[in-house]
Amino acid sequence: MAASKVLNGRGENVRVGAEAAEAIRRAAEELGYRPNVIAQSLRGMKTDTIGVLFEHFVAGHGMPDYTSLLLEGILQTAFDRGYSVTVCPQMSRSEDPRQIDNGRFDGVVWCKVVSDPKVIAALSDLHIPAVALNTPPPHEKGNVSYVSCDNEGGIRQAVEYLAGMGHKRIGFVYERSCIDVLETRVRMQGLVDTCQDLGLESHPSDLLGWGDFAEEFAEWWAATPDITALVCRSDRIAGGILERAQRIGVNVPYDLSIVGFDSSQYCELTKPRLTAVYQPVEQMAARATQLLIDRIQNPTQETVSIVYPCGLDIRDTTAPPLSQRRGIIL
Amino acid sequence: MAASKVLNGRGENVRVGAEAAEAIRRAAEELGYRPNVIAQSLRGMKTDTIGVLFEHFVAGHGMPDYTSLLLEGILQTAFDRGYSVTVCPQMSRSEDPRQIDNGRFDGVVWCKVVSDPKVIAALSDLHIPAVALNTPPPHEKGNVSYVSCDNEGGIRQAVEYLAGMGHKRIGFVYERSCIDVLETRVRMQGLVDTCQDLGLESHPSDLLGWGDFAEEFAEWWAATPDITALVCRSDRIAGGILERAQRIGVNVPYDLSIVGFDSSQYCELTKPRLTAVYQPVEQMAARATQLLIDRIQNPTQETVSIVYPCGLDIRDTTAPPLSQRRGIIL
DNA sequence: ATGAAAGCGCTAACAT
DNA sequence: ATGTTAGCGCTTTCAT
């Protein structure tokens, strides 16, 4: 009716007289009328809301900077285009697409997809557009767009840089809780492959899945004299290890080189500043959201896979293995 | 109908035969049926979703740790109780309650409310339960619950501590963009009041609203020889000032003491570690969310105001004003 | 145990 | 320029 036109601007060919319009407005004001978007959504078959699914979102105490940038990229882009963003509770038990794909979202950004086949299946069973963020694209991509960074290339740069400085054996550290995240696996494999290509020693035991890495680091350090550099799955791990290393008297970078991943602002705060593989997190998140909304608004659009190149931000936690402490001299 | 019962568990006195149920399930599977929560919401007059409104959410580049903790507290609690969380685009232009109070949320957490009377009015005009988080409670509280920390007491502790060490004149630094946030004003006033109570000099020009504080700090430092300590509105500002101070050769804490606010993990990362007023951000956020959901589920419940006490986490950026550089000796 | 009806609040389309 | 109708997908209530 006319009210819809006056109050919500709907109705193409509805004309309303000036005094009628005014009456409507006054009545609405008096009654404390609020348009109901739920009804609008039901009617219009769209919600102008996108869902964000996050594996391990609530894992740490105080989200790492990485998550902040990710969210910021998503929120900024979504808001600019008039979409709200809902962060979902269906974290790990999200195997059931019904929990997500139930009409409340026009599309979904799925972050850090785990390698559980159920989850992968759920992802491609979705009836709404979806984009997987920070998830390496699979071979058959189905109805989903992928935005990720060149994890393997990033790790390769780090390893080559370390190897070039004389490191002979390099470890990889990840949060034990993230072992199922595809990204983790790809980075880990990247390290193994690069070591192999460069002719460096590499043992399965050099892939370190730590729960409380501060705790486990000390033990590991005492037990493993020949690893002189650690590449970490995130800046936060790297920072945690750095702190603990210093506390037990390890001289970073000379006793041990440390490389983070993401190269967030966090890396500038530590002393010494953290060398890290860089990925344009916020930009990637923004692009993913763009792609999603584009496809929401034009469903015929094809899905795509975008891989952003990584860089290596060399700061102060990497150096040739100079220390004699571990019996290695450049 | 029977389908509703079988698939969504609704319908109190609906009985369905076993073979019929099975047939329904099979059909649903084949058709790729998904229940539509929007329709459920419309019907049930609830959405199981709470909105989070954030002034200045997307302000910085990489949200401060404070925001992370806040979100984590909200998300965790909401998820535990079966609610989704939507972060809203209506940041600053949120004066219009229609934008929020339009049926899509069962309740709202409104963070860091600004002192604009329009916003305050919008807040209390809401037709749904709301809780203001990190917002000092007003005298007449209307239909809104308030959860905040004892900003004034926190600042008081910091100032008393500094004064006790011999500081005679203490500045307060805040982000210029946050001048309208009530919290900012209360903290600022707390500093002024405490200085007065202690008989310390205090000028309006000691309240420093900086845009690019790294930039403005250097200028200020050169021009203002008699301030020996800065209390900051956030850890991030404090960290920014610390970094810049060190870069231009200021010896923290001896030339200048710095106190942050929040005492997030960030404070442990800087060198030297930041002294800061502590507030239990995550706990406060969780409690706010609790209160909100309680009131959603039982609307007769009264609104309350909860004020958490602050602490002072003394770390390494505060000391007596020892430096002779500024002509002050303890 | 199953079927039918009504309505949550809204809006596109057609009728006046 | 204004009224009417129908239906988005669901669930509560009442009738079979």
Side-chain angles (χ1 to χ4, degrees), chain B residues 3-329:
Chain B
S4 181
K5 169 76 174 180
V6 174
L7 299 169
N8 302 331
R10 276 21 227 32
E12 201 63 15
N13 359 333
V14 179
R15 242 109 285 245
V16 183
E19 83 282 10
E22 193 45 47
I24 288 169
R25 248 183 286 272
R26 205 147 12 83
E29 181 65 33
E30 275 176 34
L31 297 171
Y33 168 82
R34 307 277 197 277
N36 184 319
V37 280
I38 296 296
Q40 287 176 328
S41 294
L42 182 59
R43 181 67 235 258
M45 310 271 271
K46 69 193 190 54
T47 61
D48 295 322
T49 301
I50 67 179
V52 177
L53 257 67
F54 235 112
E55 309 283 348
H56 304 288
F57 185 70
V58 205
H61 188 83
M63 298 182 287
D65 224 353
Y66 163 80
T67 307
S68 309
L69 286 169
L70 201 72
L71 263 186
E72 199 153 310
I74 294 173
L75 290 173
Q76 192 75 263
T77 307
F79 292 179
D80 284 352
R81 301 191 53 173
Y83 283 76
S84 293
V85 173
T86 299
V87 182
C88 293
Q90 283 74 248
M91 302 289 99
S92 29
R93 57 188 186 297
S94 51
E95 321 86 47
D96 187 358
R98 261 183 289 255
Q99 295 285 314
I100 303 145
D101 185 7
N102 53 13
R104 69 178 158 162
F105 303 134
D106 292 347
V108 182
V109 177
W110 201 315
C111 301
K112 294 173 70 178
V113 172
V114 300
S115 65
D116 180 341
K118 275 200 190 160
V119 174
I120 309 267
L123 178 56
S124 34
D125 276 359
L126 254 32
H127 289 187
I128 49 176
V131 38
L133 179 52
N134 286 300
T135 302
H139 296 299
E140 5 68 40
K141 43 191 236 277
N143 190 34
V144 179
S145 290
Y146 286 82
V147 175
S148 64
C149 73
D150 178 13
N151 287 294
E152 221 238 346
I155 294 287
R156 178 168 296 270
Q157 285 179 67
V159 172
E160 285 176 349
Y161 171 67
L162 291 166
M165 286 193 304
H167 292 270
K168 299 286 180 231
R169 192 151 156 215
I170 299 168
F172 181 84
V173 191
Y174 58 95
E175 304 88 337
R176 211 192 333 269
S177 64
C178 286
I179 188 164
D180 283 329
V181 174
L182 283 176
E183 216 180 35
T184 306
R185 308 216 164 182
V186 172
R187 290 181 192 171
M188 197 150 60
Q189 192 58 47
L191 181 110
V192 172
D193 291 348
T194 308
C195 284
Q196 190 148 43
D197 292 352
L198 297 175
L200 299 185
E201 239 187 297
S202 169
H203 302 263
S205 63
D206 298 351
L207 306 174
L208 306 158
W210 288 343
D212 177 355
F213 42 81
E215 202 62 39
E216 286 164 88
F217 169 78
E219 219 172 288
W220 171 85
W221 174 256
T224 317
D226 35 0
I227 289 186
T228 55
L230 289 176
V231 175
C232 304
R233 206 205 64 89
S234 71
D235 291 339
R236 272 296 158 117
I237 296 191
I241 289 175
L242 172 59
E243 196 202 333
R244 173 52 59 126
Q246 290 174 328
R247 199 171 305 172
I248 64 176
V250 178
N251 183 357
V252 177
Y254 302 109
D255 294 340
L256 178 70
S257 285
I258 301 178
V259 179
F261 205 112
D262 293 338
S263 197
S264 57
Q265 277 194 318
Y266 178 87
C267 297
E268 294 287 341
L269 301 174
T270 58
K271 294 265 160 103
R273 293 149 59 241
L274 267 171
T275 293
V277 176
Y278 168 78
Q279 63 168 327
V281 178
E282 192 171 353
Q283 193 182 341
M284 289 162 61
R287 189 87 183 88
T289 310
Q290 290 258 22
L291 287 173
L292 181 65
I293 295 176
D294 286 347
R295 224 146 68 69
I296 289 170
Q297 296 178 346
N298 176 9
T300 65
Q301 201 143 0
E302 298 237 351
T303 58
V304 293
S305 291
I306 298 181
V307 177
Y308 282 78
C310 289
L312 181 64
D313 288 341
I314 298 172
R315 297 196 186 83
D316 312 324
T317 54
T318 41
L322 284 181
S323 171
Q324 308 193 14
R325 213 186 124 150
R326 304 203 119 193
I328 297 169
I329 308 175

Side-chain angles (χ1 to χ4, degrees), chain A residues 47 65 125 189-190 221 225 227 229 233 236 252 287 290 311 320 328:
Chain A
T47 61
D65 225 353
D125 275 359
Q189 192 59 46
W221 174 255
I227 289 186
R233 206 204 65 90
R236 271 295 156 118
V252 176
R287 189 86 183 89
Q290 289 258 22
I328 297 169

